[in-house]
Amino acid sequence: QINVLQAKKKFEILDAMLSFMHAQYTFFQQGYSLLHELDPYMKKLAAELDQLVIDSAVEKREMEHKHALIQQRVISFSLQDFSYDDSKVEFNVDAPNGVVMEGYLFKRASNAFKTWNRRWFSIQNSQLVYQKKLKDVLTVVVEDLRLCTVKPCEDIERRFCFEVVSPTKSCMLQADSEKLRQAWIQAVQASIASAYRESPDSYYIE
């Protein structure tokens, strides 16, 4: 009886394995049938993909060409800006209108993004001020130049930068060229010295 039971168990295991193999065969057969039906669509999609790759390559070449043209224009405009700015490098602490020096500078914002914005700066009445646009309201950066210092900044991601530091805050600025940066630094220093001469105050000096 024990041997009979053992023989039956072997048949049961073999039957289970055969049923499993049939299930596997059916599963893959159905999968093959479904994918075979999709074969024409996949071939069509492959052809469309090839055309998309070709169109993308053409568009990339066109964009690179346009980018090169834009860079050339920017360089030519920058050279024109430099020549324009270089003609106004001189500053005058005794100017009749009180404006020692003025021109465009990039100002780094004090927000978390540290964005740079181009503003029209001027040194006048012992103050450093700027405007978003000409004829806009003046925004005062430094109220009294006698309380500030100015220094060039080299350890920064941008060139031609300098910093104006006051007791309460600092302002990072960028000129369009090294010549303009030196001119602005000298103008601020000269304005500081002029402010001391015009209104010597023992409190500020101390």
Side-chain angles (χ1 to χ4, degrees):
Q1 293 295 331
I2 292 174
N3 291 333
V4 170
L5 288 175
Q6 291 292 338
K8 285 184 178 180
K9 286 183 179 180
K10 290 179 181 178
F11 284 115
E12 289 174 358
I13 294 173
L14 183 61
D15 183 62
M17 286 296 298
L18 187 61
S19 298
F20 174 74
M21 294 300 295
H22 278 296
Q24 289 288 315
Y25 172 80
T26 304
F27 172 75
F28 286 109
Q29 184 69 28
Q30 289 177 348
Y32 171 78
S33 299
L34 290 173
L35 290 176
H36 184 70
E37 292 176 0
L38 290 175
D39 185 60
Y41 174 72
M42 289 190 294
K43 289 180 179 179
K44 178 184 176 183
L45 191 61
E48 293 178 354
L49 179 61
D50 292 338
Q51 186 61 42
L52 286 174
V53 171
I54 295 173
D55 294 342
S56 177
V58 172
E59 185 178 359
K60 182 180 179 181
R61 285 197 299 268
E62 291 178 352
M63 292 299 295
E64 288 176 349
H65 179 66
K66 291 179 180 179
H67 183 65
L69 291 177
I70 291 173
Q71 282 186 328
Q72 292 177 358
R73 292 178 181 176
V74 169
I75 291 173
S76 63
F77 289 150
S78 298
L79 292 175
Q80 292 175 4
D81 291 341
F82 290 160
S83 62
Y84 173 77
D85 289 336
D86 287 346
S87 64
K88 294 190 174 183
V89 165
E90 299 297 331
F91 59 89
N92 184 10
V93 293
D94 299 320
N97 60 355
V99 178
V100 177
M101 185 173 179
E102 59 183 350
Y104 279 109
L105 293 172
F106 282 94
K107 177 183 179 295
R108 190 175 69 179
S110 57
N111 55 25
F113 299 102
K114 302 297 183 183
T115 54
W116 292 82
N117 301 298
R118 199 166 187 247
R119 299 288 184 259
W120 181 264
F121 276 81
S122 63
I123 302 173
Q124 53 182 288
N125 301 323
S126 299
Q127 293 181 332
L128 179 63
V129 298
Y130 73 86
Q131 299 165 277
K132 290 185 178 180
K133 297 179 181 179
L134 291 176
K135 299 181 180 180
D136 279 358
V137 179
L138 292 175
T139 301
V140 178
V141 179
V142 177
E143 294 183 359
D144 195 331
L145 288 175
R146 292 177 296 181
L147 297 176
C148 77
T149 58
V150 59
K151 60 181 180 179
C153 294
E154 304 298 343
D155 54 343
I156 193 170
E157 71 278 4
R158 291 194 171 207
R159 299 184 302 167
F160 317 134
C161 291
F162 62 98
E163 187 177 17
V164 180
V165 183
S166 68
T168 57
K169 61 181 178 180
S170 65
C171 181
M172 185 67 67
L173 303 172
Q174 182 192 24
D176 289 336
S177 67
E178 178 62 27
K179 187 175 181 180
L180 283 171
R181 176 171 72 166
Q182 293 300 327
W184 275 100
I185 292 175
Q186 293 171 9
V188 173
Q189 292 172 343
S191 299
I192 294 172
S194 176
Y196 275 122
R197 289 195 304 269
E198 293 175 0
S199 178
D201 191 318
S202 59
Y203 171 76
Y204 288 123
I205 295 174
E206 184 177 357

